[in-house]
Amino acid sequence: MLKTHNMTKTYRTDEVETTALDNVTIEVEKGEFVAVMGPSGCGKSTLLNIIGMLDTPSGGKYEFLGQDVSGYSEARLGGLRKQHIGFIFQSFNLIDELTVKENIELALLYHDISARQRNIRVAEVMDRVGIAHRARHLPAQLSGGQQQRVAVARAVVAEQNLILADEPTGNLDSAHGEEVMGMLCNLNRQGTTIIMVTHSRAHAEYARRTINLFDGRVVTEHRRAAA
């Protein structure tokens, strides 16, 4: 599905140059569940942002679905992102003034989908993540676990084939964190490719492969045997 080859990312100011990624070469195949780990500041979120086309590399190559997208314009990157990638964030990023249903439907408004089809898809995905009974509630009326369920539903409602999750359980207690990990595993079993940044070794164990970063470099990879 995607490859990086000697990819670098450097941030520069007038006085300081910071290397966030240093010659990172990885490959993720369709249907994989990959965890990315490492200490704070090691480049995990930068890597996820480049994979998700929210940022661009300073050097090297990034291939997505067989296309070298390293030099694509923001408009072309936006088109690929909209069509193929869903995002789940640690902070949920729900809109306070919109209901659960409206927050999820928002992800479909940029697609050529009729209102009737939007309603069908949103209803189906709310059932899938167990949040249908909260459809008319606002985010402030939900628990943290319920808000992350809405965020998961929003990420998958457009039927993208890649989900990028940045510390998806970071703001949740252990019980709700396990629920979210269960949902990610179910999505993966249904064929969705998942790349997840996490500090939790227990949650990384849900993935089939773990990539460890340190100072912007891949230092180890570990692949688990099939269950």
Side-chain angles (χ1 to χ4, degrees):
M1 170 168 272
L2 63 90
K3 300 178 183 178
T4 72
H5 182 69
N6 291 339
M7 192 171 70
T8 62
K9 181 63 181 181
T10 304
Y11 296 99
R12 293 181 176 88
T13 66
D14 290 341
E15 299 178 355
V16 179
E17 179 176 293
T18 303
T19 299
L21 295 176
D22 186 4
N23 290 311
V24 170
T25 297
I26 63 171
E27 181 171 355
V28 177
E29 296 181 0
K30 187 178 186 299
E32 276 201 276
F33 188 167
V34 178
V36 180
M37 297 193 72
S40 296
C42 72
K44 301 186 301 297
S45 292
T46 299
L47 176 61
L48 208 66
N49 286 340
I50 292 176
I51 289 173
M53 305 179 205
L54 298 172
D55 201 353
T56 55
S58 303
K61 182 185 289 188
Y62 173 35
E63 294 183 19
F64 184 76
L65 297 177
Q67 305 175 58
D68 182 359
V69 303
S70 308
Y72 275 19
S73 67
E74 174 54 35
R76 292 187 74 181
L77 292 174
L80 281 172
R81 188 168 60 236
K82 179 175 70 174
Q83 185 177 359
H84 296 287
I85 304 174
F87 296 88
I88 303 171
F89 302 99
Q90 177 178 349
S91 56
F92 315 140
N93 285 0
L94 303 179
I95 298 176
D96 294 338
E97 296 79 15
L98 299 183
T99 65
V100 165
K101 179 181 181 296
E102 290 166 340
N103 264 285
I104 297 169
E105 186 179 16
L106 193 64
L108 296 175
L109 296 181
Y110 304 100
H111 296 260
D112 186 18
I113 300 172
S114 69
R116 178 176 177 276
Q117 281 299 115
R118 289 201 304 269
N119 285 331
I120 291 172
R121 281 206 200 177
V122 171
E124 287 176 346
V125 79
M126 285 193 300
D127 277 337
R128 201 164 146 197
V129 302
I131 203 73
H133 63 297
R134 297 287 191 176
R136 297 175 182 269
H137 287 68
L138 297 173
Q141 298 171 300
L142 306 177
S143 69
Q146 289 170 334
Q147 289 188 56
Q148 194 62 297
R149 285 173 178 265
V150 178
V152 170
R154 182 186 56 193
V156 303
V157 70
E159 300 178 350
Q160 285 102 333
N161 46 20
L162 172 64
I163 297 295
L164 302 180
D166 194 356
E167 296 283 358
T169 62
N171 283 335
L172 303 177
D173 60 32
S174 58
H176 288 126
E178 293 300 315
E179 287 181 10
V180 169
M181 292 309 304
M183 283 189 284
L184 293 178
C185 287
N186 284 335
L187 288 170
N188 181 243
R189 281 192 287 268
Q190 293 162 14
T192 303
T193 306
I194 297 175
I195 304 176
M196 175 184 69
V197 162
T198 182
H199 278 102
S200 169
R201 291 196 176 277
H203 291 164
E205 290 291 324
Y206 284 86
R208 291 291 301 280
R209 180 159 60 109
T210 298
I211 296 171
N212 290 284
L213 295 182
F214 187 77
D215 286 347
R217 295 185 176 186
V218 175
V219 289
T220 60
E221 287 196 40
H222 173 63
R223 191 180 296 272
R224 291 166 189 83

